[in-house]
Amino acid sequence: MNEMATASAMATGARKRIFSGVQPTGHLTLGNYLGAMRRWAEVDQHRADALFCVVNLHALTVEHDPARVRRLSRQAATLVLASGLDPELCTLFVQSQVDEHLRLSYLMECTASDGEMRRMIQYKEKAAREQGRGGSVRLSLLTYPALMAADILAYGTDEVPVGEDQAQHVELARDLAVRFNQRYGATFVVPKAVTPPVAARVKNLQEPTSKMGKSQDRTAGVVYLLDEPEAVRKKVMRAVTDSEPDVSYEPERRPGVANLLEVLAACAGSDPERLAEGYDSCGALKKDVAEAVVETLRPVQARHAELAAEPGLVDAVLLAGAERARGLARPRVDAAFEAIGVLPGR
Ligand code: TYM
């Protein structure tokens, strides 16, 4: 089917290429799901030739336990499938199984500048966190966006569906594509980020001015995709709001309430401003958010349990995915090597 998809893309010449990824640095969260994964399944795999990747090499940029990264990589792949990806429609694979990412990453390092890497917000935040924990900052954390640009550019990607926090990295990938093409000749498609209309940045329920992230210390405000319904309810009911008794959608002034409205809007397919009109207390809002999240996660958790019982099936999907991905990436990465002045080796 993947070959058929490619053939039909070539026949029409118009099928878009989509690429996106998730890194196995922690258990996946509601933020990952609403900001990215859900749309991959509901929209992206149907409208384009879409590749989705568990970007495990990125998980090595911070202090890590090898066994945990291995486990989380499989879990992430299983959850992405459980969220509704159909391997007959799209390609799912693990980054480390396709060498082209690392090959191209070096060329991206030779295209980017030290200054533009240091300007990345995520680098600043994560470097500060590593230092705060008494650890050292790995060089790969700085060069991470070069690998991410390689992930995207290797596939001639047109669109990168991501949450808002990744927009800066995708912007850098754009800049690198343009720069490489100008210096060495047209090699890469210039990609663009696509973010969802709501829930592009789900906030930590305990700290509604910061992102709900999978590697945060304050886990009481993080809803994980595999949380039991009771745990979800507890976390939502204890979400930090403010001292005003009513409900209104004012993200700047009332970030806690706005976050809850956005989560509800994303789960219910509605819009946060309209939803706000239907509530006169935060308690009632929280109850509905909790139930909406529980109901949204229910089918994903059920499918995850089925797939987790059949690890051979997930492995087979990943292997087939890596094979197709390799075939797509290799010619473009070879062309980039040639364009930049490296004698061909294959
Ligand atoms: P990662 O693993 O942090 O997140 C995976 C996806 O989930 C989105 N996301 C969120 N969206 C809304 N609210 C949140 N709180 C939230 N938290 C995470 C992210 O924006 C992302 O779309 N660097 C990337 C992984 C990556 C990648 C790529 C993505 C590596 N190479 C190439 C796209 C294309 C990352 O760390 O995502």
Side-chain angles (χ1 to χ4, degrees), residues 19-23 29 31-32 35-36 40 55 58 122 126 144 148 151-152 160-166 169 199-203 211-214:
F19 180 94
S20 200
V22 59
Q23 57 167 332
T29 73
N32 296 130
W40 299 349
V55 288
H58 287 280
Q122 287 223 332
K126 288 189 180 176
Y144 174 122
M148 179 159 161
D151 299 337
I152 297 167
V160 188
V162 283
E164 207 175 271
D165 62 319
Q166 294 302 321
H169 290 156
R201 183 184 285 269
V202 177
K203 315 294 191 313
K211 185 185 84 169
M212 180 183 283
K214 56 175 122 59

Short mmCIF file of all heavy atoms in Angstrom, two decimals, residues 19-23 29 31-32 35-36 40 55 58 122 126 144 148 151-152 160-166 169 199-203 211-214, ligand 1:
data_model
loop_
_atom_site.label_atom_id
_atom_site.label_comp_id
_atom_site.label_asym_id
_atom_site.label_seq_id
_atom_site.Cartn_x
_atom_site.Cartn_y
_atom_site.Cartn_z
N PHE A 19 5.88 15.23 7.49
CA PHE A 19 6.76 14.50 8.41
C PHE A 19 6.57 15.09 9.80
O PHE A 19 6.50 16.31 9.97
CB PHE A 19 8.24 14.66 8.00
CG PHE A 19 9.18 13.91 8.93
CD1 PHE A 19 9.60 12.62 8.62
CD2 PHE A 19 9.59 14.47 10.14
CE1 PHE A 19 10.43 11.91 9.49
CE2 PHE A 19 10.41 13.77 11.01
CZ PHE A 19 10.84 12.49 10.68
N SER A 20 6.49 14.22 10.80
CA SER A 20 6.53 14.73 12.18
C SER A 20 7.07 13.64 13.11
O SER A 20 7.20 12.49 12.71
CB SER A 20 5.16 15.21 12.64
OG SER A 20 5.33 16.09 13.74
N GLY A 21 7.39 14.06 14.32
CA GLY A 21 8.00 13.09 15.23
C GLY A 21 7.71 13.39 16.69
O GLY A 21 7.23 14.46 17.06
N VAL A 22 8.02 12.38 17.49
CA VAL A 22 7.87 12.53 18.94
C VAL A 22 9.07 11.87 19.59
O VAL A 22 9.55 10.83 19.13
CB VAL A 22 6.53 11.90 19.41
CG1 VAL A 22 6.43 10.43 19.08
CG2 VAL A 22 6.29 12.15 20.89
N GLN A 23 9.62 12.53 20.61
CA GLN A 23 10.82 11.93 21.19
C GLN A 23 10.54 11.21 22.52
O GLN A 23 9.77 11.69 23.35
CB GLN A 23 11.94 12.96 21.35
CG GLN A 23 11.61 14.17 22.16
CD GLN A 23 12.88 14.93 22.50
OE1 GLN A 23 13.95 14.37 22.58
NE2 GLN A 23 12.75 16.22 22.71
N THR A 29 2.17 12.78 26.79
CA THR A 29 1.19 13.55 27.55
C THR A 29 -0.01 13.96 26.70
O THR A 29 0.01 13.85 25.47
CB THR A 29 1.82 14.86 28.08
OG1 THR A 29 2.00 15.75 26.96
CG2 THR A 29 3.16 14.62 28.76
N GLY A 31 -0.66 16.91 26.10
CA GLY A 31 -0.13 17.95 25.22
C GLY A 31 0.33 17.35 23.90
O GLY A 31 0.00 17.86 22.82
N ASN A 32 1.09 16.26 23.96
CA ASN A 32 1.53 15.58 22.73
C ASN A 32 0.33 15.16 21.89
O ASN A 32 0.33 15.29 20.67
CB ASN A 32 2.36 14.33 23.06
CG ASN A 32 3.65 14.64 23.79
OD1 ASN A 32 3.95 14.04 24.82
ND2 ASN A 32 4.42 15.58 23.29
N GLY A 35 -1.81 18.41 20.77
CA GLY A 35 -1.01 19.32 19.93
C GLY A 35 -0.55 18.67 18.64
O GLY A 35 -0.30 19.37 17.66
N ALA A 36 -0.41 17.35 18.63
CA ALA A 36 0.17 16.72 17.45
C ALA A 36 -0.51 15.39 17.08
O ALA A 36 -1.15 15.28 16.03
CB ALA A 36 1.67 16.50 17.68
N TRP A 40 -2.42 13.86 13.53
CA TRP A 40 -1.72 12.95 12.61
C TRP A 40 -2.70 11.87 12.17
O TRP A 40 -2.78 11.52 11.00
CB TRP A 40 -0.53 12.27 13.27
CG TRP A 40 0.55 13.18 13.77
CD1 TRP A 40 0.68 14.51 13.53
CD2 TRP A 40 1.66 12.79 14.60
NE1 TRP A 40 1.81 14.99 14.16
CE2 TRP A 40 2.41 13.95 14.81
CE3 TRP A 40 2.07 11.60 15.17
CZ2 TRP A 40 3.59 13.94 15.59
CZ3 TRP A 40 3.23 11.58 15.94
CH2 TRP A 40 3.98 12.74 16.14
N VAL A 55 11.59 9.69 17.42
CA VAL A 55 12.93 10.24 17.20
C VAL A 55 13.82 9.93 18.42
O VAL A 55 14.12 10.79 19.24
CB VAL A 55 12.87 11.76 16.89
CG1 VAL A 55 12.32 11.99 15.49
CG2 VAL A 55 12.01 12.51 17.88
N HIS A 58 17.11 11.84 19.50
CA HIS A 58 16.95 13.10 20.22
C HIS A 58 16.88 12.88 21.73
O HIS A 58 17.17 13.77 22.50
CB HIS A 58 15.68 13.82 19.76
CG HIS A 58 15.80 14.42 18.38
ND1 HIS A 58 16.43 15.61 18.15
CD2 HIS A 58 15.37 13.99 17.18
CE1 HIS A 58 16.38 15.90 16.85
NE2 HIS A 58 15.75 14.92 16.24
N GLN A 122 14.23 26.25 23.29
CA GLN A 122 14.28 24.96 23.98
C GLN A 122 15.68 24.64 24.46
O GLN A 122 15.86 24.01 25.49
CB GLN A 122 13.78 23.85 23.05
CG GLN A 122 12.28 23.93 22.86
CD GLN A 122 11.62 22.56 22.91
OE1 GLN A 122 12.22 21.54 22.59
NE2 GLN A 122 10.37 22.54 23.31
N LYS A 126 16.24 23.86 28.31
CA LYS A 126 16.71 22.53 28.71
C LYS A 126 18.12 22.59 29.27
O LYS A 126 18.45 21.85 30.20
CB LYS A 126 16.65 21.56 27.52
CG LYS A 126 15.23 21.17 27.16
CD LYS A 126 15.20 20.06 26.13
CE LYS A 126 13.77 19.70 25.78
NZ LYS A 126 13.69 18.71 24.71
N TYR A 144 21.00 19.74 18.42
CA TYR A 144 19.71 19.06 18.23
C TYR A 144 18.91 19.58 17.03
O TYR A 144 18.40 18.80 16.22
CB TYR A 144 18.96 19.25 19.55
CG TYR A 144 17.55 18.80 19.69
CD1 TYR A 144 17.21 17.87 20.67
CD2 TYR A 144 16.53 19.31 18.91
CE1 TYR A 144 15.90 17.48 20.85
CE2 TYR A 144 15.22 18.91 19.08
CZ TYR A 144 14.91 18.00 20.04
OH TYR A 144 13.62 17.59 20.22
N MET A 148 17.11 17.69 13.85
CA MET A 148 15.67 17.83 13.56
C MET A 148 15.46 18.34 12.14
O MET A 148 14.55 17.89 11.44
CB MET A 148 15.02 18.75 14.59
CG MET A 148 13.55 18.95 14.35
SD MET A 148 12.68 19.49 15.82
CE MET A 148 11.20 20.18 15.06
N ASP A 151 15.88 15.44 9.92
CA ASP A 151 14.69 14.58 9.96
C ASP A 151 13.68 15.06 8.91
O ASP A 151 13.10 14.26 8.16
CB ASP A 151 13.96 14.65 11.32
CG ASP A 151 14.81 14.19 12.49
OD1 ASP A 151 15.77 13.44 12.27
OD2 ASP A 151 14.50 14.62 13.64
N ILE A 152 13.49 16.35 8.90
CA ILE A 152 12.44 16.94 8.05
C ILE A 152 12.89 17.00 6.59
O ILE A 152 12.17 16.58 5.68
CB ILE A 152 12.11 18.36 8.57
CG1 ILE A 152 11.53 18.30 9.98
CG2 ILE A 152 11.17 19.09 7.61
CD1 ILE A 152 11.47 19.64 10.70
N VAL A 160 4.97 20.22 8.39
CA VAL A 160 5.38 19.57 9.64
C VAL A 160 4.32 19.89 10.70
O VAL A 160 4.31 20.99 11.26
CB VAL A 160 6.76 20.09 10.10
CG1 VAL A 160 7.28 19.27 11.27
CG2 VAL A 160 7.76 20.07 8.95
N PRO A 161 3.40 18.96 10.96
CA PRO A 161 2.38 19.24 11.97
C PRO A 161 2.95 19.07 13.39
O PRO A 161 3.34 17.97 13.78
CB PRO A 161 1.30 18.17 11.69
CG PRO A 161 1.97 17.10 10.91
CD PRO A 161 3.22 17.66 10.29
N VAL A 162 2.99 20.17 14.12
CA VAL A 162 3.60 20.18 15.45
C VAL A 162 2.83 21.10 16.38
O VAL A 162 2.02 21.91 15.92
CB VAL A 162 5.07 20.70 15.41
CG1 VAL A 162 6.03 19.66 14.87
CG2 VAL A 162 5.17 22.00 14.62
N GLY A 163 3.10 21.00 17.67
CA GLY A 163 2.62 21.98 18.63
C GLY A 163 3.46 23.25 18.49
O GLY A 163 4.52 23.24 17.84
N GLU A 164 2.98 24.29 19.16
CA GLU A 164 3.62 25.62 19.01
C GLU A 164 5.09 25.62 19.45
O GLU A 164 5.91 26.34 18.90
CB GLU A 164 2.83 26.58 19.88
CG GLU A 164 2.84 28.01 19.46
CD GLU A 164 1.89 28.76 20.38
OE1 GLU A 164 0.70 28.82 20.04
OE2 GLU A 164 2.34 29.24 21.44
N ASP A 165 5.42 24.79 20.44
CA ASP A 165 6.79 24.81 20.99
C ASP A 165 7.84 24.39 19.96
O ASP A 165 9.02 24.67 20.13
CB ASP A 165 6.89 23.91 22.23
CG ASP A 165 6.61 22.45 21.91
OD1 ASP A 165 5.67 22.19 21.13
OD2 ASP A 165 7.32 21.58 22.42
N GLN A 166 7.42 23.69 18.90
CA GLN A 166 8.38 23.24 17.90
C GLN A 166 8.48 24.17 16.70
O GLN A 166 9.27 23.93 15.78
CB GLN A 166 8.03 21.82 17.43
CG GLN A 166 8.16 20.77 18.51
CD GLN A 166 9.58 20.72 19.09
OE1 GLN A 166 10.57 20.85 18.38
NE2 GLN A 166 9.67 20.57 20.40
N HIS A 169 11.96 25.52 15.86
CA HIS A 169 12.85 24.54 15.24
C HIS A 169 12.51 24.32 13.76
O HIS A 169 13.41 24.15 12.93
CB HIS A 169 12.75 23.18 15.97
CG HIS A 169 13.35 23.20 17.35
ND1 HIS A 169 12.98 22.32 18.33
CD2 HIS A 169 14.29 24.00 17.90
CE1 HIS A 169 13.68 22.56 19.44
NE2 HIS A 169 14.47 23.58 19.20
N ALA A 199 -5.31 24.32 21.42
CA ALA A 199 -4.44 23.40 22.15
C ALA A 199 -3.08 23.25 21.47
O ALA A 199 -2.47 22.19 21.54
CB ALA A 199 -5.10 22.03 22.35
N ALA A 200 -2.61 24.30 20.82
CA ALA A 200 -1.28 24.25 20.22
C ALA A 200 -0.21 24.30 21.31
O ALA A 200 0.95 23.98 21.07
CB ALA A 200 -1.09 25.42 19.26
N ARG A 201 -0.60 24.77 22.49
CA ARG A 201 0.33 24.75 23.63
C ARG A 201 -0.47 24.47 24.90
O ARG A 201 -0.97 25.40 25.55
CB ARG A 201 1.08 26.09 23.74
CG ARG A 201 2.12 26.10 24.88
CD ARG A 201 2.76 27.46 25.04
NE ARG A 201 3.71 27.75 23.99
CZ ARG A 201 5.02 27.46 24.07
NH1 ARG A 201 5.51 26.90 25.16
NH2 ARG A 201 5.82 27.74 23.08
N VAL A 202 -0.64 23.21 25.21
CA VAL A 202 -1.36 22.83 26.44
C VAL A 202 -0.43 23.12 27.61
O VAL A 202 0.76 22.78 27.57
CB VAL A 202 -1.75 21.33 26.41
CG1 VAL A 202 -2.43 20.92 27.69
CG2 VAL A 202 -2.63 21.03 25.20
N LYS A 203 -0.97 23.76 28.66
CA LYS A 203 -0.12 24.16 29.78
C LYS A 203 -0.18 23.14 30.91
O LYS A 203 -1.16 22.39 31.05
CB LYS A 203 -0.58 25.52 30.33
CG LYS A 203 -0.88 26.58 29.30
CD LYS A 203 0.35 27.00 28.53
CE LYS A 203 0.09 28.25 27.69
NZ LYS A 203 -1.15 28.22 26.89
N LYS A 211 4.47 25.13 29.62
CA LYS A 211 3.98 24.01 28.79
C LYS A 211 3.83 22.72 29.61
O LYS A 211 4.60 22.47 30.52
CB LYS A 211 5.03 23.80 27.69
CG LYS A 211 4.68 22.78 26.66
CD LYS A 211 5.83 22.57 25.69
CE LYS A 211 6.86 21.58 26.20
NZ LYS A 211 7.84 21.15 25.19
N MET A 212 2.83 21.93 29.26
CA MET A 212 2.73 20.59 29.84
C MET A 212 3.76 19.72 29.10
O MET A 212 3.59 19.43 27.91
CB MET A 212 1.32 20.03 29.62
CG MET A 212 1.12 18.64 30.20
SD MET A 212 -0.52 17.95 29.85
CE MET A 212 -1.56 18.83 31.00
N GLY A 213 4.84 19.38 29.80
CA GLY A 213 5.93 18.67 29.12
C GLY A 213 6.13 17.29 29.71
O GLY A 213 5.83 17.06 30.89
N LYS A 214 6.65 16.35 28.89
CA LYS A 214 6.78 14.98 29.39
C LYS A 214 7.96 14.79 30.32
O LYS A 214 8.01 13.83 31.07
CB LYS A 214 6.79 13.96 28.25
CG LYS A 214 7.85 14.15 27.19
CD LYS A 214 7.81 12.99 26.21
CE LYS A 214 7.57 13.40 24.77
NZ LYS A 214 8.58 14.32 24.23
P1 TYM B 1 8.12 16.36 21.52
O1 TYM B 1 8.44 14.93 21.65
O2 TYM B 1 8.45 17.26 22.65
O3 TYM B 1 6.59 16.53 21.23
C1 TYM B 1 5.90 15.80 20.20
C2 TYM B 1 4.83 16.69 19.61
O4 TYM B 1 3.94 17.12 20.64
C3 TYM B 1 3.83 18.54 20.65
N1 TYM B 1 3.66 18.97 22.03
C4 TYM B 1 2.69 19.77 22.46
N2 TYM B 1 1.66 20.36 21.81
C5 TYM B 1 0.80 21.11 22.55
N3 TYM B 1 0.95 21.30 23.88
C6 TYM B 1 1.96 20.74 24.57
N4 TYM B 1 2.07 20.91 25.87
C7 TYM B 1 2.89 19.93 23.86
N5 TYM B 1 3.99 19.23 24.22
C8 TYM B 1 4.45 18.66 23.09
C9 TYM B 1 5.16 19.02 20.09
O5 TYM B 1 5.06 20.33 19.58
C10 TYM B 1 5.42 17.98 19.01
O6 TYM B 1 4.71 18.32 17.84
N6 TYM B 1 11.78 18.13 18.64
C11 TYM B 1 10.51 17.44 18.64
C12 TYM B 1 10.57 16.08 18.02
C13 TYM B 1 11.09 16.09 16.62
C14 TYM B 1 10.37 16.47 15.46
C15 TYM B 1 11.30 16.27 14.39
C16 TYM B 1 9.10 16.98 15.25
C17 TYM B 1 12.34 15.70 16.24
N7 TYM B 1 12.45 15.80 14.89
C18 TYM B 1 10.91 16.58 13.10
C19 TYM B 1 8.73 17.26 13.95
C20 TYM B 1 9.63 17.07 12.88
C21 TYM B 1 10.06 17.25 20.07
O7 TYM B 1 10.84 17.30 20.97
O8 TYM B 1 8.74 16.94 20.19
#
